[in-house]
């Protein structure tokens, strides 16, 4: 187990920067997810951490050991990291036990210790009774567990995972998420988990680094990303946040402030350094919005569509009088409104988005 430090890391392919001045620290035993759309630089970062590629600028340390940096590049096999890929990369001609033992054999781990480590790893992932099966006779989830056991048997200080569930169907994903969480709890190993799936990241990680275009936009626990997005990109990306234009209409106090949104007054949450008057962007979630026929100054929105979601509807609306901004909110069943209706909408909660656009 070890802390992973990434400092001012950049990676160029030709003159294209795939990673731009990224810094983050993963604490010993922490489960960190790196989340971002395809092409944002996640795999590039993992390959640098694993030692498959050399860094262009910056450094990487595991504990106090610098493994990548100016004039330093430790090869992957000296980094004490385990890696789990999206494709399981198992040997088809070896059974489960041999697959898990293979790297230990290459490392010349003595037979008795090797057997003990393989047995323990297989037990951890619940595959003891499958030890003599070939990969071809296993399900996708079981294969991924073999890959996990193989990585575990190496007793890594850090486990790197690159979209390990991307090839599995929805049901298997949920149970494998559970496996990873259990694995982490049981071993306390530092986990560096890459994914483009925010539900997966939210379910698993202590903290999530949200990436876009080779930068880290915010690095925070899941609920902070959701409740207090650091910028508009994170606000829109996490939990389908809607952004409304507003003006501060008072002094912030105790983390709350009055805002004016297209003539509607609401009191919402804000960060400590939000003293600025003038225009702001406000992040709102579907459950922050409600229909209120008693409100004196509601937003007026036209209902476009109701989507039944079992027990409730998602209502898609367009704000009248603004630049036709779309709004979505949740309405309970039964629902007495119909597409075309004009609805009075109020804000019960929201978040003033800080004005900085990139934190990194
Ligand atoms: N070996 C490479 N040579 C040139 N460009 C690369 C190479 N690897 C990655 N890239 C580019 O770097 C960017 C980030 O890629 P990648 O890290 O694979 O993204 P992600 O894993 O988030 O989908 C992409 O624009 C990709 O085309
Ligand atoms: Mg990738």
């Amino acid at each position: 187990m070890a802390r992973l430090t990434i400092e001012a890391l950049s990676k160029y392919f030709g003159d294209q920067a795939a990673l731009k001045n990224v810094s983050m620290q993963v604490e010993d035993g922490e489960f960190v997810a790196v989340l971002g759309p395809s092409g944002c630089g996640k795999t590039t970062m993992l390959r640098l951490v694993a030692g498959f590629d050399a860094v262009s600028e910056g450094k990487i340390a595991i504990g106090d050991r610098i493994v990548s940096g100016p004039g330093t590049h430790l090869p992957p096999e000296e980094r004490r990291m385990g890696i789990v890929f999206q494709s399981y990369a198992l040997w088809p001609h070896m059974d489960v036990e041999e697959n898990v033992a293979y790297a230990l054999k290459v490392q010349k781990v003595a037979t008795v210790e090797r057997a003990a480590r393989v047995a323990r790893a297989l037990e951890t992932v619940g595959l003891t009774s499958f030890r003599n099966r070939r990969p071809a006779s296993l399900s996708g989830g079981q294969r991924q567990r073999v890959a996990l056991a193989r990585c575990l048997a190496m007793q890594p200080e850090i486990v790197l995972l690159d979209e390990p569930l991307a090839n599995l169907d929805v049901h298997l994903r949920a149970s494998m998420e559970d496996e990873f969480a259990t694995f982490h709890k049981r071993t306390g190993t530092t986990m560096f988990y890459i994914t483009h799936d925010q539900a997966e990241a939210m379910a698993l990680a202590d903290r999530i680094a949200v990436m876009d275009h080779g930068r880290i936009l915010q690095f925070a626990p899941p609920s902070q990303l959701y409740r207090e997005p650091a910028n508009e990109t994170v606000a829109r990306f996490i939990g389908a946040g809607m952004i409304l234009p507003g003006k501060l209409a008072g002094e912030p106090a105790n983390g709350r402030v009055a805002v004016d949104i297209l003539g509607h007054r609401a009191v919402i949450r804000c960060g400590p350094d939000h003293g600025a008057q003038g225009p702001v962007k406000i992040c709102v979630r579907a459950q922050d919005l409600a229909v209120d026929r008693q409100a004196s100054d509601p937003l007026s929105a036209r209902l476009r569509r109701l989507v039944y979601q079992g027990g409730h509807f998602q209502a898609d609306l367009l704000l009248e009088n603004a630049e036709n901004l779309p709004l979505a909110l949740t309405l309970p069943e039964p629902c007495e409104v119909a597409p075309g209706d004009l609805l009075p909408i109020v804000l019960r909660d929201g978040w003033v988005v800080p004005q900085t656009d990139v934190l990194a």
Side-chain angles (χ1 to χ4, degrees):
M1 281 183 282
R3 160 194 284 190
L4 168 67
T5 308
I6 293 171
E7 215 175 282
L9 196 63
S10 296
K11 178 68 180 176
Y12 301 95
F13 293 107
D15 56 1
Q16 285 278 25
L19 221 53
K20 299 171 197 160
N21 193 26
V22 167
S23 296
M24 66 190 289
Q25 185 152 302
V26 180
E27 298 302 331
D28 191 7
E30 194 177 16
F31 196 133
V32 161
V34 176
L35 172 68
S38 176
C40 74
K42 304 182 296 295
T43 296
T44 299
M45 176 140 79
L46 182 131
R47 291 180 59 83
L48 295 179
V49 171
F52 296 139
D53 295 322
V55 308
S56 302
E57 286 159 14
K59 65 180 188 194
I60 301 168
I62 301 167
D64 297 327
R65 266 189 319 152
I66 293 179
V67 294
S68 293
T72 307
H73 182 83
L74 234 63
E77 60 274 16
E78 287 172 33
R79 296 192 176 207
R80 299 189 56 84
M81 293 186 178
I83 305 173
V84 178
F85 295 103
Q86 183 184 122
S87 60
Y88 322 117
L90 302 177
W91 297 107
H93 61 287
M94 295 183 188
D95 69 14
V96 166
E97 205 164 36
E98 289 162 341
N99 263 287
V100 175
Y102 181 73
L104 299 179
K105 233 183 222 171
V106 171
Q107 286 206 341
K108 302 199 166 44
V109 175
T111 316
V112 175
E113 189 191 341
R114 195 165 73 216
R117 271 158 70 169
V118 170
R120 213 177 315 133
L122 287 178
E123 198 190 321
T124 302
V125 301
L127 282 181
T128 304
S129 61
F130 291 81
R131 64 184 177 280
N132 298 123
R133 294 253 212 123
R134 293 268 173 96
S137 73
L138 299 175
S139 71
Q142 288 165 337
R143 285 179 213 180
Q144 194 52 291
R145 275 149 65 186
V146 178
L148 194 58
R150 179 181 53 189
C151 145
L152 186 57
M154 297 296 288
Q155 302 182 331
E157 294 184 319
I158 298 177
V159 176
L160 310 176
L161 306 103
D162 192 356
E163 313 231 12
L165 305 185
N167 281 340
L168 305 180
D169 70 44
V170 178
H171 297 292
L172 216 46
R173 275 170 182 236
S175 78
M176 281 306 291
E177 263 175 27
D178 204 32
E179 300 271 359
F180 287 139
T182 308
F183 167 81
H184 178 242
K185 210 174 283 168
R186 206 181 298 173
T187 61
T189 306
T190 308
M191 308 277 271
F192 192 73
Y193 188 105
I194 281 175
T195 180
H196 67 273
D197 183 316
Q198 61 171 283
E200 210 173 286
M202 294 260 183
L204 286 168
D206 299 315
R207 284 191 297 164
I208 300 173
V210 179
M211 274 189 79
D212 193 31
H213 292 99
R215 293 178 188 277
I216 293 183
L217 300 182
Q218 189 172 6
F219 185 30
S223 85
Q224 193 179 342
L225 289 182
Y226 185 82
R227 290 179 54 81
E228 302 177 353
N231 52 62
E232 190 177 337
T233 311
V234 176
R236 288 187 191 277
F237 182 54
I238 301 288
M242 296 166 268
I243 301 291
L244 298 178
K247 276 199 221 87
L248 295 188
E251 290 297 317
N254 302 320
R256 300 183 79 78
V257 67
V259 289
D260 227 317
I261 303 165
L262 308 168
H264 172 60
R265 176 67 58 94
V267 176
I268 63 173
R269 292 172 294 111
C270 67
D273 47 1
H274 234 294
Q277 295 296 316
V280 289
K281 287 179 174 166
I282 292 161
C283 172
V284 175
R285 314 281 176 188
Q287 63 269 31
D288 300 337
L289 297 169
V291 176
D292 182 350
R293 300 194 188 280
Q294 264 71 56
S296 55
D297 62 351
L299 293 165
S300 185
R302 183 81 61 187
L303 182 59
R304 294 178 50 235
R305 196 165 81 116
L306 284 172
V307 180
Y308 188 55
Q309 297 185 322
H312 61 269
F313 295 85
Q314 181 188 310
D316 292 334
L317 305 103
L318 274 186
L319 275 179
E320 299 262 305
N321 82 9
E323 311 103 57
N324 272 348
L325 288 172
L327 281 186
L329 64 101
T330 307
L331 294 175
E333 184 178 20
C335 165
E336 291 111 37
V337 295
D341 288 359
L342 203 55
L343 303 180
I345 306 290
V346 297
L347 236 75
R348 304 235 188 268
D349 196 14
W351 165 250
V352 180
V353 179
Q355 320 224 280
T356 47
D357 219 335
V358 166
L359 290 187

